[in-house]
Amino acid sequence: MIVQFICRAILLGVPLLYGSTGEIVTEKSGHLNLGIPGIMCVGAISGVVGSFLYENACGNDIANMNAFLAVVIPLLCAIAGSVIMGLIYSFLTVTLHANQNVTGLALTTFGVGFGDFFGGEVFF
């Protein structure tokens, strides 16, 4: 029981470490982006949606799937989803001078809700 808990904690903690490392670099420039978890959720769900659409395009037949495209398409979708969320944050805070705390928390709320809506049952 405790071994499964530790393994699960490590498995779920590593992506958060990547996000927190990126946030540390962002804070050096003077921005406090509290929307990192939401951005990560949107990126993850975008990758899942890209993978789902590619599998459906191939007709769920593994013989018709290209292994390179099966990796690249979800990766590009995840990057695109994260970039769109990052652009929303930067437009609101840099161009419109919105409050960074409120904007980041709104992006987190939206991103987590977006992830739950489109991939609510996709968890281990």
Side-chain angles (χ1 to χ4, degrees), residues 26-84:
T26 303
E27 284 186 17
K28 291 276 191 184
S29 69
H31 279 272
L32 174 65
N33 188 357
L34 297 176
I36 296 293
I39 292 171
M40 291 172 63
C41 283
V42 169
I45 292 303
S46 298
V48 169
V49 168
S51 176
F52 176 76
L53 292 175
Y54 179 66
E55 285 181 14
N56 282 342
C58 292
N60 291 327
D61 186 17
I62 296 176
N64 291 337
M65 293 179 73
N66 184 347
F68 179 74
L69 289 178
V71 172
V72 170
I73 290 174
L75 180 67
L76 292 177
C77 289
I79 290 171
S82 298
V83 164
I84 289 170

Side-chain angles (χ1 to χ4, degrees), residues 3-27:
V3 173
Q4 288 179 338
F5 175 75
I6 292 173
C7 289
R8 182 68 55 102
I10 291 171
L11 192 66
L12 295 176
V14 169
L16 293 176
L17 287 174
Y18 286 133
S20 62
T21 303
E23 176 58 22
I24 289 170
V25 172
T26 303
E27 284 186 17

